[in-house]
Amino acid sequence: MDNEVASVKKNFIYNSAFQVLVLLVPFITTPYVSRVLGAGNIGKYSYASAMVTYFTLLAALGSTVYGQRKIAYYRDDKEDMSRVFWNTFFFRCVMSLLSLILYLVYVVFFEGINCINIVIAFSIVNVVLDISWFYQGVEDFKNVVICNLIVRIVCLSGIFIFIKTESDTWKYVLILMLAQILGSLSMWRTMPHYICFVKKITPFDGFKDILLIFLPSIAIQVYTILDKSMIGWITGSDYANGCYEQSERIARLAMTVVTSIGTVVLPRVANLFQKDNMDEAKRYVYQAFQVVWLLAIPIMFGLMGVSSVFIPLFLGTGFEDAIGLLSIFSILVLVVSLAYVAGISYLIPTKQQNVYTVAVTIAAVVNFIMNLFLIPRIGAFGAAIASVVAEAVGTTIQIMYCVLKKQLKANRIFVPCWKYLISGIIMLLIVQTLKIKFSAGIVSLCVLVCTGGISYVTILLILKDEFFVENVRKIFKRI
């Protein structure tokens, strides 16, 4: 049992590293790219990226989560697992081809042919090549990270070498697409160790289940991608979209470490569910909730506290609205992380995706309606507020369903959070007080971050939080 828990912890670290790698290239280069390309060109990329995402969603059609869950079910039988892999892979091939054709038709008739629109189409091709869902299903997160690390570093270097003026926006997009494709190709080298060829391929066998997972995926994109589309349609402002894009990217990178727990726990819960061992499955889910409280709360309050110092330093001039937007988006770190555990870690692996679908669909409707009222009045800030409210609605529905149906216990979910909330609030007050006494700059930012982190940890130790203290003890023991 201890070995299995250790395995989940290692996979959490590896998957967090992978998710950070995916966002690392655009994040590390953001200060440089923001200054070279400007908010307007960043906004153009943001809009094009938002539009092509609808087509990549169609290409995957829910097969990512479906494949991960199905692989977890049959990972103890090589032939059955191989059949699941090839069925899922060829399904993604067919859907990606259809999606690519539709995207090209859309570009020709609605957006016009330009370099950015053509280059960004490679993200649809990448749906076929990306097999990270397989490795997540067999819980081999280490392989995914190693395969992508070198590729991301090379692409990172390419941005600093080739992006020199505002006219290089299309080159920036091309480098990001190449990072995706080369990273996906690198994962194929170890596949022969896992799978074999099978005689009969039936790509559309799991279409019904895939579609059930696809529906909430579409709904989720309403308040993660449609926001950017609606900002462009309603305000026509590349600046607003640029500030929205950068502030949301920072918040989502910050939450990546926390939301990774959902992806890691999914295959473990799915496997235990298949073996009818729900008590053990729920134990992992409760631990995942506690990890979320421990990590998401300080990240949320930390972003609120340092946004006014971080944004000017990180993005440079011309992104003033991103300060307020980042403060709003920081709330998403906690809300989305809780949703990942309830939905991705529990409802989907236990074949209750219909509940997940209803929850995110209601949230999407709330987001869309709020966007219609708020974006014309307060622009990108309205879209950010709508996203936070929508995510909160969806998360509440998922957790309340599990509690009311007596599948999960409310006290096991919520009772552990009070010590983290107290520590986080005190940390925020300390950071806000110190911020008044410092001028903006890298030294001030480092002092605020270090002071905030130390104060959070210190208060948890004073409150004697058992979960935190136990994990700290294990870390020191290994060292």
Side-chain angles (χ1 to χ4, degrees):
M1 189 64 65
D2 289 338
N3 290 334
E4 289 184 355
V5 173
S7 174
V8 171
K9 290 180 178 179
K10 288 180 181 178
N11 285 333
F12 171 60
I13 294 171
Y14 283 127
N15 191 53
S16 297
F18 171 64
Q19 298 301 331
V20 169
L21 273 175
V22 171
L23 297 173
L24 194 60
V25 172
F27 184 76
I28 289 180
T29 58
T30 292
Y32 175 76
V33 171
S34 297
R35 289 165 173 79
V36 174
L37 301 183
N41 284 317
I42 293 293
K44 290 177 182 177
Y45 160 68
S46 174
Y47 178 76
S49 177
M51 299 314 297
V52 79
T53 299
Y54 297 121
F55 295 91
T56 58
L57 276 171
L58 176 62
L61 201 73
S63 60
T64 301
V65 176
Y66 168 83
Q68 182 184 352
R69 186 183 69 180
K70 202 78 170 177
I71 291 294
Y73 286 160
Y74 296 105
R75 67 187 183 197
D76 297 326
D77 187 313
K78 185 173 183 178
E79 186 171 348
D80 285 343
M81 184 176 68
S82 298
R83 184 171 291 103
V84 170
F85 172 79
W86 290 117
N87 284 344
T88 307
F89 172 73
F90 282 110
F91 175 83
R92 289 164 74 94
C93 288
V94 173
M95 295 307 302
S96 295
L97 179 60
L98 174 63
S99 183
L100 183 60
I101 294 171
L102 292 175
Y103 174 74
L104 294 176
V105 171
Y106 162 76
V107 167
V108 171
F109 287 98
F110 295 97
E111 293 295 336
I113 299 175
N114 59 54
C115 289
I116 294 178
N117 287 336
I118 295 301
V119 170
I120 210 167
F122 282 110
S123 60
I124 301 175
V125 177
N126 187 60
V127 173
V128 175
L129 302 175
D130 181 16
I131 53 172
S132 58
W133 51 270
F134 172 82
Y135 288 103
Q136 290 164 350
V138 296
E139 299 190 60
D140 184 4
F141 293 88
K142 180 179 179 180
N143 189 59
V144 176
V145 175
I146 294 175
C147 288
N148 276 269
L149 180 59
I150 297 175
V151 172
R152 301 289 170 175
I153 292 174
V154 171
C155 291
L156 178 67
S157 305
I159 289 176
F160 291 107
I161 295 172
F162 297 107
I163 309 303
K164 299 296 182 182
T165 66
E166 290 187 2
S167 61
D168 292 330
T169 305
W170 71 271
K171 295 180 183 178
Y172 171 67
V173 179
L174 177 61
I175 292 172
L176 294 181
M177 295 302 103
L178 288 175
Q180 289 183 11
I181 290 175
L182 293 176
S184 297
L185 285 173
S186 67
M187 288 186 280
W188 281 85
R189 64 184 181 85
T190 56
M191 283 304 293
H193 297 294
Y194 286 98
I195 62 170
C196 59
F197 290 103
V198 295
K199 294 181 179 180
K200 187 178 180 181
I201 304 296
T202 51
F204 288 87
D205 260 7
F207 182 74
K208 182 180 178 181
D209 288 337
I210 290 175
L211 191 60
L212 287 173
I213 296 174
F214 171 67
L215 293 176
S217 300
I218 283 289
I220 289 173
Q221 294 307 316
V222 169
Y223 46 88
T224 56
I225 301 300
L226 186 59
D227 284 356
K228 300 172 189 177
S229 305
M230 292 183 73
I231 291 172
W233 298 334
I234 296 174
T235 69
S237 171
D238 287 334
Y239 168 76
N241 238 327
C243 290
Y244 188 96
E245 166 75 15
Q246 298 295 55
S247 56
E248 185 196 35
R249 177 181 293 175
I250 292 168
R252 292 199 176 273
L253 179 62
M255 77 173 70
T256 295
V257 175
V258 192
T259 54
S260 293
I261 190 68
T263 307
V264 170
V265 174
L266 186 155
R268 183 59 59 92
V269 173
N271 189 258
L272 291 169
F273 173 75
Q274 185 75 358
K275 296 175 180 177
D276 199 26
N277 189 357
M278 284 306 299
D279 289 338
E280 184 64 14
K282 289 178 183 180
R283 189 174 71 86
Y284 281 109
V285 173
Y286 289 134
Q287 286 189 349
F289 273 117
Q290 195 147 6
V291 171
V292 166
W293 294 122
L294 172 65
L295 298 180
I297 287 175
I299 292 174
M300 176 182 69
F301 286 125
L303 287 176
M304 289 181 185
V306 304
S307 61
S308 60
V309 178
F310 178 75
I311 291 295
L313 181 66
F314 192 66
L315 299 180
T317 58
F319 289 89
E320 287 74 20
D321 284 355
I323 297 173
L325 288 169
L326 181 58
S327 295
I328 297 171
F329 278 130
S330 64
I331 302 172
L332 285 179
V333 176
L334 177 59
V335 177
V336 172
S337 299
L338 290 172
Y340 260 68
V341 177
I344 303 297
S345 295
Y346 183 73
L347 291 175
I348 288 181
T350 56
K351 297 185 177 181
Q352 299 182 85
Q353 57 261 31
N354 57 326
V355 179
Y356 181 64
T357 300
V358 170
V360 297
T361 301
I362 293 173
V365 172
V366 170
N367 182 82
F368 180 74
I369 294 172
M370 290 186 69
N371 275 343
L372 291 177
F373 282 97
L374 294 178
I375 292 178
R377 291 167 175 78
I378 51 177
F381 290 94
I385 293 170
S387 291
V388 171
V389 174
E391 291 281 8
V393 169
T395 302
T396 301
I397 292 172
Q398 292 175 57
I399 294 178
M400 289 305 295
Y401 174 86
C402 295
V403 171
L404 293 175
K405 291 293 183 179
K406 298 182 179 180
Q407 298 182 31
L408 298 175
K409 295 179 180 179
N411 64 318
R412 295 288 301 275
I413 297 173
F414 294 106
V415 169
C417 78
W418 70 271
K419 292 180 181 179
Y420 307 122
L421 282 172
I422 291 174
S423 302
I425 292 170
I426 294 175
M427 179 193 75
L428 177 61
L429 293 175
I430 293 173
V431 170
Q432 294 285 28
T433 303
L434 282 176
K435 192 167 58 176
I436 299 173
K437 301 180 180 181
F438 286 95
S439 58
I442 185 66
V443 175
S444 300
L445 181 62
C446 290
V447 170
L448 292 174
V449 171
C450 291
T451 304
I454 293 171
S455 62
Y456 181 76
V457 169
T458 302
I459 297 164
L460 281 182
L461 291 174
I462 293 172
L463 293 174
K464 297 180 179 179
D465 179 67
E466 294 180 5
F467 183 75
F468 176 71
V469 171
E470 180 63 25
N471 280 280
V472 170
R473 186 181 291 115
K474 288 180 178 179
I475 291 173
F476 278 107
K477 184 177 180 181
R478 290 186 179 182
I479 292 176

